[in-house]
Amino acid sequence: MTALVRSWQAYRAISGAWVRAAMAYRASFVALALGQVLTSGPDFIAIVLMFASIDTLGGFGLGEIALLYGLTGLGLGIADLVAGSTEQLGRRVRDGSLDTMLVQPVPALVQVAADQFALRRIGRISQATVVLGWALLHVDIDWNLTRVALLVTTIGSGAVIYLSIYVLGAAFQFVAGDAAEVQNAFTYGGVTLTQYPLTIYPVEVVRAVTFLLPLAFVNWYPALHLLGRDDPLGLPGWVQAASPLAALALAAVAGVAWRGGVRRYRSTGS
Amino acid sequence: MGPWRSEKSARRGAARDLRSRGRCGFRRYATYRLATAAGVFTNSVFGCIICFTYLALWQERPDIGGWDAQDAVTFVWIGQSLLMTVALFGGGFSDELADRIRTGDIAVDLGRPVDLQGWRYAEDLGRSAFHLLGRGVAPTLVGALLFSLAWPANPLTWLAFLGSVALAVTVSFAIRYLIGLGAFWVLDVRGFVVVIGFVQLFCSGMVLPLVVFPAGLETALRLLPFAALIQVPAEVLLEKSTGWGLLAALGSQLGWAVVLLGAGRALTRHATRRLVVQGG
């Protein structure tokens, strides 16, 4: 337990220093955060433009798609804020700066995630939150305590699933440092895929994001329950509440991959 | 480059310099093979996802914008191929240019016996040629394997498409050159880069083909230079622009290239006339 507390304290100390640094140039910070809102916005505007000429896409209305969009966007937004810096791992391996982290009494993963912490990434979180809020006002959900709990755990599980993908991506960079872009296919690609109802994809794709890389648990299965929709795969009902399990399983895999990466890490010597 | 060289041989030398600069631009990006493979993978994944969303859209409205579903799916792969070629997210030389202006290294560039804009253009053409071959062809093959694409009926269309892509790269270069020059006036051009990146994503047709936009908006967006980046070359390959329409399409791209390159030249002259490089 003390190790966890110490990790958290280290994360706070490092990220706090970066936040203070960013706040030294407040106007620049505001501009960059607004820039993040802009860069995460086009997808949703595209969906709204599509709905200028259609009423449903894959059997889902605009409000329902906004719910999917908001949940997955928020999950990625939180993960990106917490651990987006891990994308830099390939560079750290190349320039040798990972070495200094490995000799500190704090887990290297915590340092890699906290270093260059960019508070401007709340831009994406705010954009997703606004869309999610709008969606909740426009869809018909029969609210009760379980559904509220489901919504909250879904956001948390989504963040953990995307966090695990960031860590998996970082672990992959131990093997192939130049191939950092592959990760985008799973993070931003995952968001693009899950912001639409999975009914528009072939069933093989739906199976893959259910059993292989559990992206469907970021929003799809819980949203089916919230909206009272049938599951096109016909999986048992408890699957719609299984997002935390999927998140934990992926996190465990990511943890093993990261340890494996650190173990086989060989310094560049520079 | 001594004074004893004749005017003619100096010009020939400059042309050789530009050619070699172009080759450097190509090789600079070609070096990173693993990164290219990673990029091809990512482009292919995104291409597939977007294809399914367009197929769903065209299933609801099979004739939206006068295109059929096959046109739409083909458009996706053209877009993925051109994304890096026309550097839609910015980057390439313009970050470097802005950086050199900020640090004062630009004085060295201005002292070179080649024109600053021409030199950067040659380099960017090399880069775009690599991105078209390295990042464009492979994802399109993946797309052709998984989806049924609308290939041009007339083989000459390929030639017109290549011309249109070259003009698209030129317009994109001219825009990024202007952004880079912005560093003469503001310290940090990242704000410009983000805003232009957003505008380009939308107005080029990358996020959604312009034919899907509401009619008034589509007409307005076609008047902007950004349509020249993706929408216009795609319509050339899809044979939506043929005959006089093809000439008009290429002409609009050429017009924007001339205007924006001209603006870049004028601005370079204006900026360098009163350039003061801090010593130290």
Side-chain angles (χ1 to χ4, degrees):
Chain A
M1 211 57 207
T2 51
L4 254 182
V5 171
R6 193 154 357 109
S7 295
W8 168 240
Q9 282 168 345
Y11 187 90
R12 277 228 343 228
I14 301 171
S15 58
W18 284 101
V19 171
R20 285 193 295 280
M23 285 307 169
Y25 301 95
R26 202 157 292 228
S28 174
F29 167 77
V30 171
L32 288 171
L34 285 177
Q36 284 267 316
V37 175
L38 272 189
T39 43
S40 51
D43 287 356
F44 190 66
I45 305 177
I47 293 173
V48 172
L49 283 173
M50 286 184 188
F51 272 86
S53 38
I54 55 175
D55 296 322
T56 57
L57 191 69
F60 283 67
L62 182 56
E64 294 170 308
I65 291 182
L67 176 71
L68 293 171
Y69 181 101
L71 285 174
T72 193
L74 199 52
L76 179 75
I78 297 171
D80 187 36
L81 178 71
V82 174
S85 298
T86 53
E87 279 181 343
Q88 301 285 322
L89 191 92
R91 183 183 59 76
R92 292 192 181 289
V93 170
R94 270 196 300 281
D95 68 15
S97 61
L98 188 66
D99 292 13
T100 47
M101 294 184 163
L102 289 171
V103 296
Q104 302 290 332
V106 176
L109 183 58
V110 171
Q111 299 177 62
V112 172
D115 194 37
Q116 313 241 337
F117 180 85
L119 190 62
R120 63 167 184 273
R121 291 180 179 138
I122 54 169
R124 177 182 288 279
I125 297 182
S126 341
Q127 189 259 352
T129 308
V130 169
V131 174
L132 182 62
W134 183 86
L136 292 176
L137 291 176
H138 284 81
V139 289
D140 206 15
I141 297 177
D142 188 12
W143 287 109
N144 57 28
L145 212 58
T146 19
R147 294 219 163 96
V148 174
L150 182 65
L151 184 74
V152 176
T153 52
T154 300
I155 295 171
S157 311
V160 172
I161 288 174
Y162 280 118
L163 265 174
S164 310
I165 296 178
Y166 273 107
V167 174
L168 280 170
F172 180 62
Q173 289 191 45
F174 278 114
V175 190
D178 274 346
E181 211 187 326
V182 165
Q183 194 171 335
N184 292 348
F186 297 102
T187 50
Y188 298 111
V191 154
T192 309
L193 183 122
T194 51
Q195 69 200 16
Y196 293 92
L198 297 190
T199 45
I200 69 169
Y201 303 108
V203 69
E204 293 82 7
V205 174
V206 184
R207 286 209 190 99
V209 294
T210 302
F211 302 112
L212 221 56
L213 185 69
L215 281 167
F217 289 93
V218 165
N219 60 355
W220 176 244
Y221 289 113
L224 285 178
H225 181 75
L226 289 177
L227 298 169
R229 293 284 197 134
D230 290 332
D231 175 8
L233 279 192
L235 297 176
W238 59 264
V239 169
Q240 296 174 352
S243 293
L245 286 179
L248 284 178
L250 190 65
V253 172
V256 170
W258 171 261
R259 270 159 203 271
V262 172
R263 208 171 301 129
R264 60 167 289 170
Y265 169 65
R266 204 169 63 194
S267 170
T268 49
S270 54
Chain B
M1 268 313 136
W4 58 85
R5 292 236 307 233
S6 72
E7 183 93 338
K8 199 169 155 199
S9 80
R11 225 176 4 236
R12 217 179 297 139
R16 201 178 47 231
D17 287 348
L18 290 181
R19 269 200 306 278
S20 88
R21 195 66 210 162
R23 273 197 299 275
C24 284
F26 186 97
R27 276 204 297 264
R28 179 173 174 186
Y29 288 86
T31 309
Y32 300 100
R33 294 202 197 120
L34 196 60
T36 303
V40 164
F41 174 76
T42 305
N43 284 142
S44 306
V45 169
F46 269 94
C48 290
I49 296 171
I50 301 169
C51 275
F52 290 124
T53 66
Y54 285 2
L55 285 172
L57 176 61
W58 258 266
Q59 192 168 17
E60 298 285 332
R61 285 277 313 273
D63 60 340
I64 191 167
W67 285 14
D68 60 23
Q70 203 180 29
D71 291 331
V73 168
T74 310
F75 182 87
V76 171
W77 297 101
I78 300 174
Q80 291 298 319
S81 302
L82 294 186
L83 184 62
M84 291 299 288
T85 311
V86 301
L88 211 57
F89 294 124
F93 78 94
S94 69
D95 295 348
E96 204 176 283
L97 178 65
D99 225 38
R100 292 181 74 82
I101 292 172
R102 202 170 45 75
T103 57
D105 289 344
I106 192 74
V108 180
D109 298 342
L110 290 168
R112 289 181 213 273
V114 283
D115 173 69
L116 178 68
Q117 195 185 31
W119 183 55
R120 288 298 186 178
Y121 181 49
E123 183 191 356
D124 201 52
L125 276 183
R127 176 204 60 76
S128 67
F130 171 71
H131 278 149
L132 184 64
L133 291 172
R135 296 283 298 261
V137 174
T140 308
L141 290 178
V142 172
L145 278 176
L146 295 173
F147 298 89
S148 139
L149 303 187
W151 299 110
N154 182 348
L156 284 178
T157 301
W158 284 106
L159 215 61
F161 175 66
L162 278 184
S164 183
V165 170
L167 287 169
V169 170
T170 309
V171 171
S172 141
F173 164 81
I175 294 171
R176 282 174 293 134
Y177 184 78
L178 285 169
I179 295 174
L181 281 189
F184 274 118
W185 290 274
V186 299
L187 219 50
D188 191 351
V189 295
R190 273 185 300 178
F192 289 163
V193 174
V194 169
V195 172
I196 286 284
F198 172 78
V199 170
Q200 287 194 153
L201 269 182
F202 250 98
C203 306
S204 64
M206 185 67 211
V207 170
L208 201 62
L210 296 188
V211 292
V212 178
F213 282 61
L217 199 52
E218 181 193 348
T219 316
L221 292 184
R222 282 185 187 274
L223 293 175
L224 297 176
F226 310 109
L229 301 177
I230 307 270
Q231 185 74 29
V232 174
E235 284 176 345
V236 170
L237 192 69
L238 289 171
E239 296 181 324
K240 301 289 171 193
S241 315
T242 49
W244 289 109
L246 176 63
L247 280 184
L250 297 175
S252 75
Q253 286 183 301
L254 185 66
W256 277 117
V258 170
V259 167
L260 293 168
L261 285 176
R265 292 201 86 77
L267 215 58
T268 311
R269 246 195 325 274
H270 179 72
T272 52
R273 205 178 295 140
R274 41 163 282 260
L275 173 70
V276 179
V277 175
Q278 309 286 345

